[in-house]
Amino acid sequence: MIDVLIVGGGPVGLATAICCARAGLSVTVTEPRAAPVDKACGEGVMPAAVRRLAALGVTPDGHPLRGIRYVDAAHQADARFRHGSGLGVRRTVLHAALAARAATLGIPVLPVKVTAFAQDAGHVTAGGVEARYLVAADGLHSTIRRALERDSRAPGPPGQSRSRVARDQAPQRYGLRRHYRVAPWTDLVEVHWTPQAEAYVTPVSPDVVGVALLFAKPRLGRPPAAANPGAAGQEASDRAPDDESGDFKTRLSAFPALLDRLAGADPASELRGAGPMRQDVRRRVYGRVLLVGDASGYVDALTGEGLGVGLAQADALAACLAAGRPADYERAWRRASGPAWRFTAGLLWSRNHPLLGERLVPFAQHFPWIFTTLVNHVAEA
Ligand SMILES: Cc1cc2nc3c(=O)[nH]c(=O)nc-3n(C[C@H](O)[C@H](O)[C@H](O)COP(=O)(O)OP(=O)(O)OC[C@H]3O[C@@H](n4cnc5c(N)ncnc54)[C@H](O)[C@@H]3O)c2cc1C
């Protein structure tokens, strides 16, 4: 029997495996997709996350990022990072670097998709492996989390709270991303805002930039995810929601200044999508099964700190398991994730507010020191 079985070999699963191995635990990862795994992502790694990766012995190639720029039709605001650089890095490059580090530590990665597991007082079994603990790092639409929530759901009170109903009916946010072969025109992550969507431009190499579009779409009239976990779980997090590049082009046309920059540039990757992004998760510890990364809950990609938060969670989780205190992880997870998630939720609320939304970029331009402080709050989260 090994100590830890990690289901999902994305960046957070691999980082958790590396942290566990370095803490002296025997660990195995299951990941059905061949390395290097790609995914829809803005690919901006904030400075604190770059330091966390380096501390794990992972230093992928990429494009240095010096800060964040907000742009709308009439305004522009720049905020520089105060403590080191971030990194624009292709997901495939990041994944390959993490996988290589895991390999040097002798961590086995099994090409297995885990669809079921069983736990008792002493151990967990999944994918033919017996372990003391199972860590679900299987992404936004985690199969393991859905099963745990289904099995542990107590009968609820008749009816739902008004805020819960409102959230279940609100439009859901999605992301689409594609790369373009063009020399980056800035070393900032450029965020273009319209009332309906944001376009993130991240330089990832001397001749490629990534463009990630974030937008809301109305729900399609099916039962809300909370009431029907199986349905939400079927949405693959790496497929474009509409599976059509036409949708990407139409949405991109709402950003004329960005279109000018990309004029004549060839696409350098296939279109990928993710969503719905928001995943409200009630708890992270279910006996010997624990959740990490996007599987443990997600708010939005608006502030681009998902990888940083996931790396912090990985560190905290490994420390709790190495100490033989898995129950402590719930509180450690809140410490690792809470400040960033609250900030993202607050910004998202402002962005959707009828009066505040259109004033965000002008505000950032007029109060650059506040903008810079907030950007650095996220960058160091
Ligand atoms: C549009 C968009 C833009 C973003 N931009 C940024 C950004 O700029 N900066 C940033 O820091 N973050 C960003 N994020 C967030 C970031 O991408 C995620 O937080 C990060 O990928 C989480 O990593 P993970 O390992 O938890 O999950 P994932 O990367 O989703 O990895 C999960 C892995 O689990 C595997 N898996 C799934 N099911 C199973 C199963 N049943 N058995 C075994 N394996 C399984 C999958 O194949 C996958 O490899 C963005 C997210 C989106 C959607």
Side-chain angles (χ1 to χ4, degrees):
M1 180 161 77
I2 60 166
D3 291 320
V4 188
L5 175 64
I6 297 179
V7 175
V12 180
L14 289 174
T16 307
I18 293 166
C19 292
C20 286
R22 282 162 44 120
L25 299 167
S26 54
V27 55
T28 293
V29 176
T30 73
E31 170 55 58
R33 297 165 70 193
V37 174
D38 203 357
K39 175 189 178 286
C41 183
E43 301 179 335
V45 183
M46 296 295 116
V50 173
R51 292 197 295 274
R52 280 190 184 279
L53 285 171
L56 298 181
V58 177
T59 52
D61 288 335
H63 196 287
L65 301 175
R66 313 282 180 214
I68 309 285
R69 169 177 292 157
Y70 278 10
V71 188
D72 71 9
H75 305 88
Q76 177 174 313
D78 290 3
R80 300 260 156 195
F81 296 138
R82 290 179 176 138
H83 308 288
S85 295
L87 195 69
V89 56
R90 277 291 280 119
R91 283 291 291 221
T92 43
V93 173
L94 175 63
H95 191 266
L98 281 157
R101 180 68 179 126
T104 62
L105 291 168
I107 298 169
V109 179
L110 309 179
V112 172
K113 177 172 180 153
V114 171
T115 52
F117 62 93
Q119 66 167 316
D120 61 25
H123 68 284
V124 189
T125 312
V129 180
E130 200 176 68
R132 286 169 59 223
Y133 300 105
L134 184 152
V135 172
D138 49 348
L140 273 185
H141 305 294
S142 166
T143 304
I144 304 277
R145 183 186 75 226
R146 302 283 181 203
L148 290 164
E149 289 181 340
R150 202 168 42 235
D151 293 349
S152 69
R153 181 161 291 134
Q160 290 177 292
S161 75
R162 226 187 277 177
S163 63
R164 184 63 193 256
V165 170
R167 205 190 313 141
D168 285 346
Q169 291 172 349
Q172 293 173 306
R173 299 246 304 165
Y174 292 80
L176 285 171
R177 83 93 239 261
R178 168 162 275 168
H179 295 86
Y180 290 87
R181 199 160 295 287
V182 59
W185 52 91
T186 172
D187 55 6
L188 307 175
V189 175
E190 222 172 55
V191 187
H192 295 251
W193 295 73
T194 71
Q196 288 77 33
E198 305 94 53
Y200 280 67
V201 187
T202 309
V204 294
S205 75
D207 62 347
V208 174
V209 301
V211 177
L213 302 181
L214 306 182
F215 53 89
K217 293 207 309 182
R219 292 176 191 248
L220 295 176
R222 63 164 179 236
N228 187 356
Q234 284 159 14
E235 298 198 35
S237 64
D238 59 341
R239 267 185 29 221
D242 289 326
D243 256 348
E244 286 177 13
S245 57
D247 186 43
F248 185 82
K249 281 187 193 147
T250 308
R251 293 183 187 280
L252 192 59
S253 65
F255 300 91
L258 178 54
L259 274 185
D260 281 352
R261 291 282 192 187
L262 299 176
D266 290 329
S269 66
E270 65 175 17
L271 184 67
R272 282 186 182 269
M277 288 189 273
R278 178 144 195 155
Q279 301 295 326
D280 292 310
V281 176
R282 284 176 296 170
R283 45 195 265 230
R284 262 56 49 177
V285 182
Y286 291 81
R288 293 184 169 274
V289 181
L290 304 96
L291 311 179
V292 73
D294 284 6
S296 69
Y298 194 67
V299 180
D300 201 90
L302 190 59
T303 45
E305 82 298 20
L307 290 165
V309 169
L311 294 172
Q313 294 166 356
D315 201 25
L317 176 48
C320 292
L321 296 187
R325 300 175 63 90
D328 288 359
Y329 174 59
E330 189 67 48
R331 185 182 288 185
W333 183 93
R334 289 182 193 284
R335 269 199 306 273
S337 328
W341 281 175
R342 279 192 291 278
F343 182 80
T344 305
L347 185 61
L348 192 57
W349 180 84
S350 311
R351 193 264 181 281
N352 291 332
H353 192 280
L355 292 178
L356 296 178
E358 65 191 35
R359 294 191 164 87
L360 285 175
V361 184
F363 178 88
Q365 182 183 305
H366 289 122
F367 299 100
W369 57 275
I370 297 182
F371 181 45
T372 300
T373 300
L374 292 175
V375 162
N376 277 278
H377 172 74
V378 173
E380 295 303 316

